Amino acid sequence: MKTVFSGVQPTGNLTIGNYLGAFKNWRDLQDENRCIFCVVDLHSLTVRNNPEDLKNNSKNIIMLYMAAGIDPEKSIIYLQSNVSAHANLSWVLSCYTYIGELSRMTQFKEKSENSDNINNGLFSYPVLMAADILLYGTDFVPVGEDQKQHVELCREIAIRFNNIYGKTFTVPEILIQSKLATRIKGLQNPTKKMSKSSKDKNDTIFLLDTEKDIISKIKKAVTDSDTRIYFDKETKPGISNLLTMYATITNKSIEESEKDFSDKTYGQFKKDLIEVVLNEIIPLQNKFNELKNSIDYVNNIIENNAKKAIEIANKNLENVYKKVGLL
C-alpha cells in the first residue's frame, strides 16, 4: 500500500473549505492506502494561541476527522506533539536546508508582511513540515495550492539527503485530488480563499455553524446583476464560487451543475445549495456531538493512534540517526 500523509493546524474553527478540500478527499483515500492524518499542533505555535483554546481545538479536530468518516482503525489520526520524532527529525533536516531556500517561501513572505511576530518557527516552518512527511515514508501528500511550494522543498531536502547518505527517504509526490475544492472562496469576497480568520462573519461557513447560520450565510452570499447561472470566475466570481461548492459536494462537474440551474433563478439556486450543504454538514455535526459526549473513547483513540505513529516514526528516525553518525 502507498502511504498518504497530511495534516491540519488547530487554529480557529474549520470551514466547509477545509472539509471539501481535505477531509472529504482523505476519507476516499483510506481504503486503498496507509493513511496518516496529523493535527499539526506544533506548527500552530508560530502564532500566539490561548493554551486552553489550542488544547480544545486540537481535540476537536481529531473528532472532526472521525465525524467526517476518517476511520481510526483504517487510518492513523494523532497529535503531532505526541510524537517527539517530528521535532527531532526537523533539527536534523534543518542542517540540510539552506537559508536561501527558506527565504524564497511565499507563505513566509506573506505572513511576515502582516505580522509583528516574525519568529524563527515561522521561518523554519517548512523544515518541520518536511520532517512530518518524510518521517513516515510518505508516497503522496494531498495539499492545497498554498502548500505546494513547501512539499516541493521537502522533495529537494529528501533528494539532497539521499544523495549524501544513500537511499533513506521516500521522495513524496504532491496529490491535489480536487482542484474544484481548493478553489472554495469567501461568500462575501469570492475573489479570495475562504478563510477561518475572516473578519466578516458572513464570509465563511464553519463546520460547526448552526443550521440557521448556514442558511443565512448562503442567502446573503454575493452574486451579481446578471440573473443567469453559469461559471465565469472573472465576470461572475460569486455565482462561480457557489457553483464550485455545489459541484464539489454533489461530485458533479461544473458543466453538469450549470445544466442543473440553466433555467432557475438565483433564489432557487441558493435554496438547492442550502439543501446539499446541510445534507453534508448536519450528519457530520451529529457525529461530532456524539463523540464529544464519549470523550473517554476519543482520548483512547488519541493515545492508541499516537502509539502507532510513534512506532513508525521512531524506526525511521533511528535509521536517519545511524546515517548521520548519531549514537
Side-chain angles (χ1 to χ4, degrees):
M1 297 179 84
K2 296 294 185 180
T3 296
V4 175
F5 178 94
S6 197
V8 170
Q9 282 198 50
T11 51
N13 298 316
L14 296 186
T15 74
I16 193 171
N18 296 123
Y19 170 75
L20 296 176
F23 299 175
K24 191 171 185 285
N25 293 328
W26 296 357
R27 182 178 64 211
D28 298 335
L29 287 168
Q30 63 184 345
D31 288 331
E32 297 180 1
N33 300 277
R34 180 178 75 162
C35 291
I36 302 172
F37 300 126
C38 185
V39 177
V40 288
D41 49 353
L42 292 176
H43 283 291
S44 68
L45 298 180
T46 58
V47 297
R48 298 292 176 258
N49 295 285
N50 177 289
E52 285 304 312
D53 287 345
L54 181 57
K55 290 177 187 177
N56 292 331
N57 287 341
S58 296
K59 190 166 290 188
N60 282 347
I61 291 179
I62 291 287
M63 291 188 288
L64 283 170
Y65 282 176
M66 292 192 282
I70 299 169
D71 187 344
E73 299 299 324
K74 293 180 180 179
S75 303
I76 299 175
I77 53 178
Y78 71 103
L79 302 176
Q80 180 189 32
S81 59
N82 285 350
V83 183
S84 60
H86 285 262
N88 292 341
L89 182 59
S90 179
W91 170 251
V92 175
L93 297 183
S94 70
C95 299
Y96 297 84
T97 308
Y98 301 128
I99 294 294
E101 292 174 319
L102 295 175
S103 299
R104 289 192 291 272
M105 294 295 105
T106 302
Q107 196 171 86
F108 172 73
K109 293 177 182 178
E110 291 175 349
K111 290 188 175 182
S112 298
E113 290 174 358
N114 301 305
S115 174
D116 55 2
N117 178 27
I118 308 173
N119 54 71
N120 183 61
L122 186 63
F123 185 67
S124 59
Y125 178 108
V127 184
L128 179 56
M129 182 173 169
D132 299 338
I133 295 165
L134 299 179
L135 204 49
Y136 297 96
T138 301
D139 296 289
F140 297 108
V141 186
V143 292
E145 292 287 339
D146 58 334
Q147 292 291 335
K148 278 182 65 177
Q149 190 182 31
H150 289 165
V151 182
E152 289 165 355
L153 176 59
C154 172
R155 287 172 50 83
E156 290 298 320
I157 296 169
I159 292 169
R160 182 175 301 139
F161 194 96
N162 288 349
N163 286 340
I164 297 171
Y165 297 105
K167 174 65 175 176
T168 307
F169 295 120
T170 300
V171 180
E173 299 290 337
I174 297 170
L175 178 64
I176 297 181
Q177 278 194 288
S178 173
K179 291 185 177 180
L180 281 180
T182 61
R183 297 175 189 159
I184 302 297
K185 308 295 185 181
L187 299 181
Q188 295 301 311
N189 187 354
T191 61
K192 291 188 177 181
K193 182 179 177 180
M194 183 178 285
S195 171
K196 55 188 176 182
S197 60
S198 175
K199 294 179 180 179
D200 187 340
K201 66 177 184 178
N202 290 313
D203 195 49
T204 303
I205 296 175
F206 296 104
L207 288 181
L208 299 179
D209 270 344
T210 65
E211 182 174 337
K212 181 180 178 181
D213 283 342
I214 292 171
I215 293 171
S216 174
K217 289 177 180 182
I218 294 176
K219 283 183 175 180
K220 292 177 181 177
V222 300
T223 51
D224 53 68
S225 57
D226 183 353
T227 58
R228 292 179 300 154
I229 298 171
Y230 62 92
F231 187 91
D232 186 332
K233 64 180 182 180
E234 299 301 325
T235 62
K236 297 172 72 68
I239 284 296
S240 298
N241 184 43
L242 298 181
L243 272 171
T244 298
M245 192 182 300
Y246 176 86
T248 308
I249 293 173
T250 58
N251 295 316
K252 293 183 177 182
S253 68
I254 289 293
E255 292 73 21
E256 290 171 324
S257 301
E258 286 177 322
K259 288 179 182 177
D260 286 347
F261 300 103
S262 60
D263 59 348
K264 292 190 177 182
T265 65
Y266 283 173
Q268 291 171 313
F269 171 43
K270 286 186 174 181
K271 183 178 178 181
D272 286 0
L273 177 60
I274 287 168
E275 182 179 353
V276 299
V277 168
L278 291 178
N279 287 342
E280 192 81 6
I281 298 302
I282 297 302
L284 180 148
Q285 292 183 353
N286 291 339
K287 180 62 177 176
F288 175 85
N289 289 328
E290 287 176 17
L291 291 166
K292 204 166 185 179
N293 291 325
S294 306
I295 205 65
D296 289 342
Y297 168 73
V298 173
N299 289 337
N300 189 54
I301 291 294
I302 292 172
E303 182 179 349
N304 289 338
N305 276 244
K307 289 177 181 177
K308 294 177 186 178
I310 287 169
E311 184 177 357
I312 300 168
N314 284 356
K315 182 179 179 181
N316 289 330
L317 180 65
E318 182 180 351
N319 182 42
V320 172
Y321 276 13
K322 286 180 180 177
K323 292 288 181 76
V324 300
L326 298 176
L327 294 176

